[in-house]
Amino acid sequence: MALTKQEWLALEKKAHELRNLCLDTTYWAGSAHIGGGMSVMDMLTILYYKYMKYDVSNPKWEDRDRFILSKGHAGVAYASVLCELGFNDKEQLKTFNLTNSKMGIHLDSNKVVGVDASTGSLGHGLSIALGTALAAKVLGKDYKTYCILGDGECDEGSNWEAGMAAAHFKADNLISFVDRNKCMIDGKTEDVMSLEPFADKWRSFGFIVKEVDGQNMNELSEAIDFALENKGAPVMIIADTTKGAGVDYMEGDYKWHYGALDEEKYQKAKESLEKYYAARVARAEKEGI
């Protein structure tokens, strides 16, 4: 079901606020994995502000939906979401990645409230997510598990082992995404280790695949709705995104996998985010119902 124009605009506003918070956090920290943080932010926004079931006052609630950020280096974006929601004090973002901070560059589930699994060693998240999804089935629970992978980490064989098992055990309560920004730390994914035909590979492992514009809230919503209604097989949503989405001088540049911001770059990024937001609001106004 398509988003209403009101829902779409509200999600765009929140994603814009969170991108700014992610930018601020990177500036305070001195550096962070901002490129992937910006590309994944729309998925985080729509999951936490429309779909996921959780209780900020009871973060260990056993019936909550689970979320695994397999691309754990995007913790600068995830930390922004968890602090904005109130799981953690927003002031902690000012110490992100600094000595003795609870907010490490890869979020630790023992230190950051709301994190279901410590990630950052790439290739493990889908296996963890499958475990929580199968646990729900064994326990007779109806919670869902959501997982976001990076496309670069799909070079890791453990993802495909988890994919094989997810299909074999018909883990239809597992909804996964790949942040397909086509960049990784050393270059373009297709130059370092070609992934294409990417969607066909997931299909061959038994997944139902939906390919969407990962920077379009309406397309993301329709894909998640489909996945929630689906029975009998896991769903993989391949989200076509842009590295550094919203910051013009970062967009599509693998060198912004990790980067530092001085005052000039920070101010230019702020200006670019405003233009990006205006363009996205215009699209929602035009296409929303």
Side-chain angles (χ1 to χ4, degrees):
M1 181 177 174
L3 293 171
T4 66
K5 184 183 293 189
Q6 183 179 9
E7 285 180 309
W8 194 342
L9 289 170
L11 287 167
E12 292 290 359
K13 184 175 185 293
K14 182 53 65 176
H16 177 59
E17 292 169 353
L18 288 167
R19 277 196 170 89
N20 272 282
L21 190 54
C22 180
L23 178 67
D24 292 343
T25 304
T26 302
Y27 180 65
W28 296 326
S31 59
H33 295 90
I34 189 170
M38 292 297 189
S39 65
V40 80
M41 191 61 86
D42 296 304
M43 283 172 266
L44 290 173
T45 302
I46 200 166
L47 286 174
Y48 274 93
Y49 286 87
K50 178 171 171 62
Y51 285 99
M52 283 179 56
K53 178 178 63 177
Y54 55 84
D55 182 352
V56 173
S57 66
N58 183 16
K60 295 295 186 182
W61 177 39
E62 65 178 23
D63 291 322
R64 72 189 185 282
D65 288 336
R66 271 58 168 179
F67 174 75
I68 310 296
L69 182 65
S70 188
K71 51 173 294 176
H73 54 283
V76 66
Y78 192 22
S80 300
V81 172
L82 292 175
C83 288
E84 179 71 14
L85 287 167
F87 281 104
N88 302 271
D89 184 352
K90 196 179 289 189
E91 286 294 306
Q92 289 186 36
L93 294 176
K94 293 180 179 178
T95 68
F96 184 84
N97 198 32
L98 301 181
T99 302
N100 296 323
S101 174
K102 290 183 178 181
M103 291 284 175
I105 203 156
H106 300 108
L107 302 187
D108 186 335
S109 62
N110 293 313
K111 296 178 180 178
V112 183
V113 181
V115 176
D116 285 314
S118 304
T119 56
S121 182
L122 296 175
H124 296 170
L126 189 59
S127 297
I128 298 170
L130 175 59
T132 65
L134 293 179
K137 287 182 174 289
V138 169
L139 295 171
K141 299 286 187 179
D142 65 356
Y143 68 77
K144 306 296 182 185
T145 295
Y146 298 88
C147 180
I148 298 180
L149 298 89
D151 50 2
E153 75 167 313
C154 290
D155 292 349
E156 301 282 355
S158 50
N159 285 305
W160 304 101
E161 294 179 38
M164 220 167 20
H168 177 78
F169 291 110
K170 297 180 173 56
D172 51 12
N173 58 345
L174 170 64
I175 300 171
S176 302
F177 303 75
V178 175
D179 180 25
R180 185 72 167 113
N181 62 31
K182 300 165 284 295
C183 294
M184 55 195 296
I185 191 169
D186 293 326
K188 297 286 188 178
T189 56
E190 298 313 288
D191 294 334
V192 177
M193 181 65 72
S194 179
L195 292 169
E196 296 297 341
F198 195 45
D200 289 342
K201 287 174 181 173
W202 287 107
R203 291 188 185 101
S204 74
F205 273 72
F207 279 70
I208 297 172
V209 178
K210 302 292 285 186
E211 297 181 81
V212 302
D213 178 349
Q215 257 87 63
N216 185 313
M217 291 294 187
N218 199 48
E219 287 192 25
L220 285 170
S221 178
E222 289 178 343
I224 296 168
D225 285 342
F226 169 84
L228 289 169
E229 294 167 2
N230 169 68
K231 302 296 180 187
V235 172
M236 178 60 71
I237 299 169
I238 299 178
D240 184 18
T241 63
T242 301
K243 193 88 164 182
V247 181
D248 51 12
Y249 62 82
M250 296 182 189
E251 290 186 338
D253 186 350
Y254 75 87
K255 294 177 182 177
W256 279 101
H257 176 86
Y258 187 93
L261 299 171
D262 58 18
E263 182 65 27
E264 182 182 6
K265 285 187 173 69
Y266 174 67
Q267 292 301 330
K268 285 183 177 179
K270 284 284 185 181
E271 293 168 9
S272 183
L273 285 177
E274 290 303 318
K275 294 176 184 176
Y276 184 66
Y277 176 53
R280 291 185 53 147
V281 167
R283 179 174 63 183
E285 290 282 7
K286 179 181 179 181
E287 299 177 14
I289 300 170

